[in-house]
Amino acid sequence: MAPRGIALRLFLTCWVVFSLHVATDFAREHYLVVSIAERGTFRLDEYHRLHPDIFRLPNGHAYHGANPGVSMMAAVPYFLLRPITDRVVQRVVAGRVARGDTASVEFQDLRPARVRFYREVRKRGLDIKFGLVGLITMVFFMAPLSAFGAVMVYRVFLGAGVTRRAALGGSLFYALGTPIFFRTGYLNQNLAVAIFGFAAFALLWNPGGQFRLTLRSRQLWAGVFGGLALLCDYSGALALGLCGIYAVILQLDRTEWRPALKGAAWYTAGAVGPILLLWFYQWAAFGSPFLPPQHHMPPVEWSDLGYQGITAPQSDLFWTLLLDPRFGLFITAPALVLGLFAPWLNIKRQSIIPWRETAFLLAVSSSYLIFFSAVQYTQLQYITGIRYVIPVMPFLAVLTVAVLLRIPRWITWPVGVGSFALAWAMAMVRVPYPDRSVLGVLKSIGADGLQLPLLTTLSKTSARFADGTAAGIAPLLLLALGGAIIVAIWRVGSRRASPAP
C-alpha cells in the first residue's frame, strides 16, 4: 500500500478510536468555546462560579485564566453544528417543561464537586448543551487533531528510513500506547502544544524529503505551528523558541550566520499571526495585550509562591512529574524510559535518528520537565490525570521507537502490547475515585471489565442507563462497531493499492 494511503487510513483509524473514548468532563476551555460560537465574545459572565478557574474582574466581566487557542479552534465545529444542537436542546428542555420535569436530578458520583456541578447545570437547563458541546469538540476537533499528530509521527519515521510497517507501528505506539490516547478525550491545551510543537519540528527537519514544500514554505508553516503552540498555552513558548533555534542551526548547514538568520526570519513571520491573535485576546479580555491571563487571576492555592505559582525549578516537583503514582510520566508511560537510551544507539551508529535530532528531541523533553518542575500547579494533576508534561510525548516517543526498533523482538512486542493495554485502560477509566493512581485504573478494569467514559457518565445520570451501560453489553457493542469500521478502513481499496515493498 502506498505511504499516502497508509497515512490516510492511520488518520481515520485514530479518529475512530479516539472518538469512541470521548470523555465528558466540561473543562474551562469549553466555556470559551460556547461564548465565542454563540455570542462572539470572550466574556464568561453567565458561567461565573461554575468553574474555579473562571473569575470576575473589577469591571464586572468574567474570564478564565488560560490561553484561548484550543477554544478558538474548537469553536469552529460547534458553530457549524449549532443549528442541530440548538434544535436538540430546545426539544429536550421543552419536553421537560411539558412533563413538569424541572427539578434537579442527582448525579450518582462519590465526588461532591461533580455532584454539585451537575445539579447546577441541570437546574439551568445547560446539561444537554454542555454534553453536546463536549461531544462535538472532542469528536470534531481533539480526535482529528491527535490523528493528525499520529500522521506527522508516521511521516517522520518513514523519512528516517524505516519500513512502512515499522513506521505505522511506531506511530500507533505514539498515538495509542502513550497518554496521548488518554488526554485526547479532553479539550486540553497541553496536548495541542505537543502536536503543534512536534509538527513545527518535523517540517523543519523534513527527513527524507517527506514534506514536498520549498524551504521557505516549511519554515513559514513551522512558524505557524510554533505560534499556535504559544496561542494554546504559554508553555508553547518553549516549543516555539527551541524550534526557532533549530531552524537557525539547520540553516547554518547551508550558509553562514547572517544569511542563516535572514532565512530563519521566515519562521518568525509564520509565528506572527498566532502571536498577534493572542495579544488581541489579552487586550480584549484584560485590557493589556502583553500580560498573560494568569496575571489577572485572583489568589488561589500556591499562587502566592513566585510569580502566580511559578518559582525556580524544584527537585521534588521534578521527580513528582516523573514518578508520582497518579500522573508520573514514567508511571503512566513506563516504556518511554527507553527513549533515554537513544543516544547510546547514536554512539553505536545504529539509530534511525541523527545525532543532532536526537539531541533536539531530548532537549525539548528536558526543557518541559524542568519548566513544569517550577510550576506549583502541577501538583493538581491528580484531579484529571497526567497533563502538564504531555508536550514531551511525541518527542520522547520517537526516541523510544528508535530504541524499540533495535532491541530483540521478544522484548519489543511485549513492551508495545503492554503500553497499549495500559494506555487503553487509562482512556477507558479516566481517573478513578478515590484511588486516583494507575493501579486504581487497572483495578477498575479488573473489577468492571471494558468501559467507555461516555457510557459511564450516562449510567450516573439516570437509573434508566445504569444497568448494562457503564460496564456491560453496551461498551462491547460500540467497541465491536468501531472495530468493524476500522477493518473497513483498511480493507476498502487495499486490493487495488500497490503492494508495499
Side-chain angles (χ1 to χ4, degrees):
M1 187 181 297
R4 184 172 297 180
I6 295 175
L8 175 60
R9 287 167 170 82
L10 170 65
F11 178 87
L12 295 174
T13 297
C14 290
W15 194 346
V16 170
V17 174
F18 291 144
S19 297
L20 280 171
H21 296 81
V22 55
T24 56
D25 297 58
F26 202 78
R28 63 185 177 186
E29 289 79 11
H30 282 114
Y31 296 97
L32 188 54
V33 168
V34 176
S35 290
I36 292 173
E38 292 186 352
R39 294 180 298 280
T41 180
F42 301 136
R43 296 175 181 174
L44 307 176
D45 299 353
E46 64 181 289
Y47 306 123
H48 185 231
R49 301 188 186 281
L50 281 182
H51 194 284
D53 283 352
I54 297 178
F55 54 90
R56 195 183 298 277
L57 295 178
N59 63 10
H61 296 300
Y63 302 91
H64 71 50
N67 286 21
V70 291
S71 298
M72 290 177 171
M73 289 179 274
V76 175
Y78 175 54
F79 176 79
L80 295 176
L81 292 173
R82 267 200 69 199
I84 299 174
T85 59
D86 286 352
R87 189 171 303 173
V88 172
V89 171
Q90 290 168 5
R91 288 190 63 179
V92 172
V93 173
R96 288 175 180 173
V97 173
R99 297 190 307 268
D101 182 17
T102 56
S104 177
V105 176
E106 289 300 318
F107 185 65
Q108 305 301 318
D109 197 284
L110 297 175
R111 289 160 284 196
R114 297 200 174 199
V115 174
R116 290 194 299 269
F117 173 77
Y118 183 78
R119 182 187 300 145
E120 182 63 25
V121 297
R122 179 65 164 74
K123 183 173 66 176
R124 298 190 190 187
L126 295 173
D127 54 320
I128 301 300
K129 176 196 283 189
F130 282 4
L132 291 173
V133 170
L135 188 65
I136 290 169
T137 54
M138 193 277 174
V139 173
F140 296 104
F141 175 65
M142 290 304 301
L145 178 63
S146 284
F148 164 75
V151 171
M152 293 299 288
V153 171
Y154 168 74
R155 297 191 68 175
V156 163
F157 284 135
L158 206 61
V162 304
T163 65
R164 298 172 191 176
R165 185 184 298 272
L168 177 61
S171 59
L172 288 173
F173 168 82
Y174 153 76
L176 303 179
T178 71
I180 292 292
F181 192 177
F182 162 78
R183 206 69 224 179
T184 300
Y186 298 98
L187 181 61
N188 175 246
Q189 74 272 31
N190 303 97
L191 179 54
V193 169
I195 295 167
F196 291 139
F198 185 80
F201 160 72
L203 284 170
L204 291 170
W205 180 20
N206 194 27
Q210 274 292 304
F211 305 101
R212 298 178 181 179
L213 299 170
T214 65
L215 174 61
R216 287 183 176 179
S217 295
R218 287 191 291 106
Q219 290 172 333
L220 189 70
W221 277 108
V224 170
F225 284 124
L228 287 175
L230 179 62
L231 179 64
C232 291
D233 190 76
Y234 266 100
S235 66
L238 288 175
L240 175 64
L242 290 172
C243 285
I245 295 172
Y246 179 64
V248 174
I249 293 173
L250 289 177
Q251 281 287 82
L252 287 175
D253 283 349
R254 304 178 179 89
T255 184
E256 297 181 353
W257 269 104
R258 185 171 296 178
L261 292 174
K262 183 178 180 180
W266 285 96
Y267 174 83
T268 305
V272 166
I275 292 174
L276 289 177
L277 185 56
L278 174 61
W279 287 351
F280 169 75
Y281 168 78
Q282 292 174 168
W283 169 77
F286 307 109
S288 172
F290 306 121
L291 293 175
Q294 294 86 347
H295 178 82
H296 307 276
M297 290 178 61
V300 295
E301 187 178 8
W302 292 311
S303 66
D304 59 326
L305 300 176
Y307 173 69
Q308 292 291 74
I310 300 177
T311 64
Q314 308 288 316
S315 60
D316 58 335
L317 283 183
F318 181 84
W319 291 110
T320 295
L321 291 172
L322 293 180
L323 301 173
D324 190 285
R326 300 165 297 178
F327 52 77
L329 174 64
F330 293 143
I331 301 299
T332 56
L336 295 183
V337 173
L338 294 174
L340 303 180
F341 296 93
W344 180 80
L345 293 178
N346 293 99
I347 294 173
K348 304 290 285 186
R349 297 184 179 181
Q350 296 178 355
S351 180
I352 62 170
I353 310 296
W355 256 118
R356 178 178 56 200
E357 281 64 40
T358 296
F360 180 83
L361 293 168
L362 287 173
V364 173
S365 302
S366 302
S367 297
Y368 273 102
L369 287 166
I370 293 172
F371 172 75
F372 281 115
S373 70
V375 179
Q376 300 297 319
Y377 300 118
T378 57
Q379 301 175 69
L380 292 172
Q381 286 181 94
Y382 69 89
I383 299 174
T384 60
I386 182 171
R387 171 184 168 188
Y388 287 93
V389 297
I390 287 293
V392 313
M393 291 295 166
F395 300 95
L396 203 51
V398 167
L399 295 175
T400 299
V401 172
V403 175
L404 289 172
L405 290 173
R406 293 292 182 256
I407 61 179
R409 291 295 178 264
W410 63 269
I411 299 177
T412 299
W413 276 102
V415 168
V417 172
S419 297
F420 168 71
L422 177 58
W424 190 21
M426 291 174 57
M428 285 191 286
V429 179
R430 316 310 297 181
V431 182
Y433 186 87
D435 185 355
R436 302 177 187 268
S437 68
V438 173
L439 182 59
V441 170
L442 300 179
K443 288 179 179 177
S444 178
I445 293 293
D448 301 322
L450 300 181
Q451 307 165 39
L452 289 176
L454 178 60
L455 298 180
T456 300
T457 299
L458 283 175
S459 70
K460 296 178 179 181
T461 60
S462 172
R464 291 182 302 163
F465 301 114
D467 296 334
T469 297
I473 190 65
L476 293 178
L477 290 175
L478 283 176
L479 289 170
L481 176 61
I485 294 173
I486 291 171
V487 169
I489 288 171
W490 287 94
R491 283 190 176 273
V492 172
S494 61
R495 292 182 180 179
R496 297 191 300 269
S498 58

